[in-house]
Amino acid sequence: MNEGAFVCSCAGTCDIDLEEAREGIEDVEVAASSQLLCQDKLEAFEQVIEEYELDEMIVTCPEAKAQEKIEAAAERQGLRPDDVEFVDQREGAGWVHDREAATAKTARLVNAANAGRETERRPRSSIHRAGYDVVVVGDPNAAAAIADAADVTLLADGEELATADADLENVDVERGRVVDVDGKYGEFELTVEALVTDDCVSCMKCVHEGPDGMVTRYPVDIDPEAPVGEWVTVCPTDAIEMEGVERTIECDQVIHPGGEGPVGGQRGYHTKFDPATVNEVERLLGGFEGIDFLDLEMEVCAAGTAGEMGCNECVEACPHDAVERAAIDEVEFHLDSCQNCGACTSACPTGATRLQEPNNERLAREVEALLAPTGDDGGFVSGLLGGSSANIETPMIAFVCSERAQNALREYGRLAAAGRADVEYPPILPVSVNCADTVGEAHVLHALAAGADGVAIVGCGGSCLHSGPDPKAELVERVNRATADLGLGERVSFFAPDPDEPEAFVEEVSQFAVAELEASPIPAGEHEADGGIDDPERENPPFDNHGWTLESVRAILEHVEPEREVIRGLKDFGIVEVAEGCTLTPTCTSYCPTDALRRTENGLDFNHERCVNCGLCEEVCVENVMSVEDGLDLSLLPENKPEEPDPAWERVYEGSMLSCAGCGKQFTSEATADAIEDRIGDVVADLAPDSEESIFQYCPECRARLLHDV
C-alpha cells in the first residue's frame, strides 16, 4: 500500500510550522502541506495522489464539511472514503498548544494514525434476532408513538389512563406496578404486582366505594397504600387481592422512563422517551444486523472448571449485563447487549475476550508512534531539525474516551480559537479509546515502557456513560502503587473534562504534567511490544493483558532500580504458597486454567509467569494449605534464576511420589498414602495377610489383584 499524508493549517488559524510537521512524518510515500487544503488546493491534492499512486491518505482536518470535499477529491482518484483518515490538528493541537508543541504533536498524530491503520481489521457483524413485543411502563404517549410499528403493551404502573391524551386503540393496557426487570434484548421479563386480579370485569364498584384517588378506573387497580375496609367486599368477582398478586410479562424491548436497575445499560431497555428512543426502538424491532465488538477465545478463559468458579473479572466489570455466568464454571457473552465499552476486555487477564477495534495491538502501535522521536537526527525531540527547538518536553500519553471526553477537548479548542476562554495546556498525546473502561493496567504499563513520562486517562465529565462516576479510581491507585514499587514513582492520573469548565481541566492537567511528573528514565522510541511472554506452551493470544503487562514490566526494569522485590498493584499476577500438610493430590494441577502448577516426582512446582491470580487452586485445595497473594514477585521470574535448570518453575512444596510395590508405577504421593493409612489402616490390616507390604503401597490395579487373589 502506498500511503501519503497532507498537513493543513486551516487558513493559518493553527499555529503550525507546516514544513517541520512534514519533516516529522514517518513511513509515507509523500508528505505535503497547504494553508487551506479544502479550498484552493484540492486539485494539487489530486495530483499528489495520482503522481505517487497513493492508496491511502492521512489528512489533518477535523471539519466535517471540509472532510466531505477532501473525500470527494480522493474518490475522483479511485480511493474510497475508508482510504482517507482524518486527524485533528486544530482543536487538539494548533488551538490549545504553542507553535512548537502543536507542530511536534501534529506530526506525531499523523504517525500514530498511520501506525494504527496497519493493524486495523474490518469488523465482523452478525444478525441479532428478536420479536416485535414492546412493553411501555407508565407512559401512554410513548406507547401511542410506536403502536403502529410494534405490538405494544402499556403497563399502567399505577397511573390513571382514563384521562390520557393519547391514542391507545392499538395498545394492550395492563394493570400493575413494576417490581423487577430482568433479561436481555429479545428476552426481557418484567415482574409486575397488582392488587386486582384478572377476574376483574371493570364494573367500577370498587372505584365508587373505595378511598378517593386510590383506585384507578382504567385499568382498574388499587394503590398499595389504600386502607383495607368494608369497601373491599363490594367486588362481585372477588378480584380484589389486598396482599398483592405477582405475574410476569415477557417482551423483546422495554421503554421504562426513569427506570433503573441491573438491566439499565442493556440494549433494548430504554430509560427515557424522546424521538431518538422511538427511532432506536423501531430500528431494533424484529432484530438487527450489528457489529460484533468482541473477539472471544474461550479456550483460554480462566472462569473455572469441573464445577468450580475461577476468574470472574469480566462478569464484575461489565456495566451492561452483557456477560453472565452460564454455569458455575463458565461465562457467557451476549453480543447483542454489548455496548463496546471495553470494560470486560481490560479486566480479562488471559485474552479470552478482546475488542475488535481498537484492538490492543493497534493501541500499542499508536502509543509507540506518538512517543517515538521524529525527523532526521532526532527530529522534534532533540530540536536539531533546521535549528528548530520544536519539542514536547513532557511526553504524556492520554487515553481519551471517544464519547464525552473527546467532545469536551474539542470544545476547549473552539473556545480558545473564538477567544472565549484562555485555554492552553501541555501537549498530551491522545489515543482514542471507546471508553475509559477500555484502559487497563496493561495499556498504562506499556505506555510507560515505551517512554511516556506520564499517563492520563481522560473520561466523561461528571459520570461515565457506562460505569458511573470516577470509573478508574481503583485502577489509578493500583497502577501508581505498581509504578512506585518499580522505582518510577506515581505517573498515572484520571481526568474528567467538563466542557463548561476548561480552566479547571487546564489547571489539573498542567499541575500533573509540570509539577508532578519528572522525566522518565526510560528512553522513548526503543520499545516495540510483541504483546506476550516467550513461553511456547502458553497458547494465549498476543496482547492478552497478563502477557502484555509482564512484557512491559520487563522493558521498564531495564532502566530502573525497583523499590521492592514484590511489585504490588498488578491484579493479574498471583504468588502461590503451600503450607505443611500438602499431600500432592492432583487437584490443584488439574484445576489450574493456565497450567501454572505441575506435580513432579519431588513435589509441587509453580510458574509465576503463567499465574493470572484467579484463586481457583486455593479454592479447590483439599488440604486447605494453598494460598494465593496478589503481586508480581520479580525473584520468581526466570531471568532472575539463570542458574536453575528450569528457571520458569519454582518448587513450592517438597514431597515424593510413591511407586507401586507391585508394578513400580508411580500412582500417588507418599504423603497421601500415609494419610490414608493413618485413617483406615487398622480397619484393612487383615485384608491381605500374605502381602509383603501394606496394601496402601500398591496401585489400585495391583491392590485389586492382591485382595482378590487374581
Side-chain angles (χ1 to χ4, degrees), residues 39 52 87 99 166 168 207 251 348 440 443 495 623 649:
Q39 297 294 328
Y52 289 90
V87 168
R99 181 180 180 83
L168 301 180
V207 178
C251 62
C348 174
H443 304 86
F495 301 92
E623 295 91 0
W649 293 89

Side-chain angles (χ1 to χ4, degrees), residues 287-309:
F288 67 98
E289 182 176 4
I291 293 173
D292 292 337
F293 299 119
L294 302 178
D295 283 328
L296 302 177
E297 198 163 328
M298 303 313 293
E299 55 268 26
V300 301
C301 180
T305 186
E308 293 290 343
M309 189 173 86

Side-chain angles (χ1 to χ4, degrees), residues 397-422:
I397 290 295
F399 293 104
V400 181
C401 163
S402 63
E403 298 176 299
R404 289 179 184 163
Q406 194 170 77
N407 290 334
L409 296 185
R410 286 173 178 162
E411 175 62 10
Y412 293 168
R414 291 188 286 265
L415 288 171
R420 301 287 180 84
D422 183 13

Side-chain angles (χ1 to χ4, degrees), residues 687-706:
L687 291 181
D690 297 330
S691 172
E692 295 181 2
E693 302 287 346
S694 163
I695 63 171
F696 299 105
Q697 302 296 308
Y698 294 88
C699 71
E701 292 81 6
C702 291
R703 188 182 307 142
R705 286 194 292 270
L706 185 68

Side-chain angles (χ1 to χ4, degrees), residues 640-662:
N640 295 323
K641 302 183 294 177
E643 71 286 350
E644 297 188 14
D646 199 355
W649 293 89
E650 179 81 7
R651 179 64 43 78
V652 289
Y653 192 78
E654 293 282 352
S656 300
M657 297 297 292
L658 181 64
S659 297
C660 175

Side-chain angles (χ1 to χ4, degrees), residues 394 396 453-455 490-492 511-519:
T394 305
M396 184 168 67
D453 284 350
V455 176
E490 296 186 356
R491 292 182 178 267
V492 187
Q511 171 71 18
F512 179 62
V514 177
E516 299 178 20
L517 291 180
E518 297 180 355

